[in-house]
Amino acid sequence: MKARALTFLLVLLCSASALSPFAHADDDKRIRQLQRSGEILSLEQIFDRVRKVKPGRIVDVDLDKDNGRYLYEIELLESSGKVWEMEFDARTGELLQLEQDD
């Protein structure tokens, strides 16, 4: 798994993290600000793009910042049991990477 410069958990916010509950609230606030400013697309917009690429159930979503660029990293579980990792440019919604998880 790649090192992440900045990780916001967008789905399943109740994780086994050592962060205080206030850190999640700060992340949520920052994400909403990024969406309102147009820096990133909403999850609904990204999920629409995911569904066009592969059918299945989204099991994890991260918002990372890499070299000044926000990226949505999505894990999707197909009905066959295969897990796919997708990476989208968070501003444009462009699919940057699609690979089957080992």
Side-chain angles (χ1 to χ4, degrees), residues 53-57 76-84 100:
V53 175
K54 290 267 180 210
R57 185 170 56 106
L76 179 127
L77 175 65
E78 285 186 319
S79 60
S80 67
K82 292 180 184 176
V83 176
W84 292 88
Q100 189 175 345

Side-chain angles (χ1 to χ4, degrees), residues 7-21:
T7 301
F8 296 107
L9 294 177
L10 299 174
V11 173
L12 305 173
L13 290 176
C14 296
S15 68
S17 171
L19 298 174
S20 74

Side-chain angles (χ1 to χ4, degrees), residues 13 63-64 89:
L13 290 176
L63 177 65
D64 298 331
D89 182 295

Side-chain angles (χ1 to χ4, degrees), residues 10-62:
L10 299 174
V11 173
L12 305 173
L13 290 176
C14 296
S15 68
S17 171
L19 298 174
S20 74
F22 298 107
H24 292 301
D26 290 342
D27 290 348
D28 291 344
K29 184 178 178 181
R30 178 69 179 140
I31 290 166
R32 284 191 301 274
Q33 288 173 340
L34 290 168
Q35 289 173 346
R36 279 193 298 268
S37 71
E39 277 190 71
I40 65 172
L41 297 174
S42 70
L43 277 178
E44 291 81 19
Q45 292 169 299
I46 293 297
F47 289 171
D48 286 344
R49 286 169 170 78
V50 168
R51 287 183 199 102
K52 290 177 183 175
V53 175
K54 290 267 180 210
R57 185 170 56 106
I58 295 169
V59 294
D60 190 32
V61 179
D62 292 325

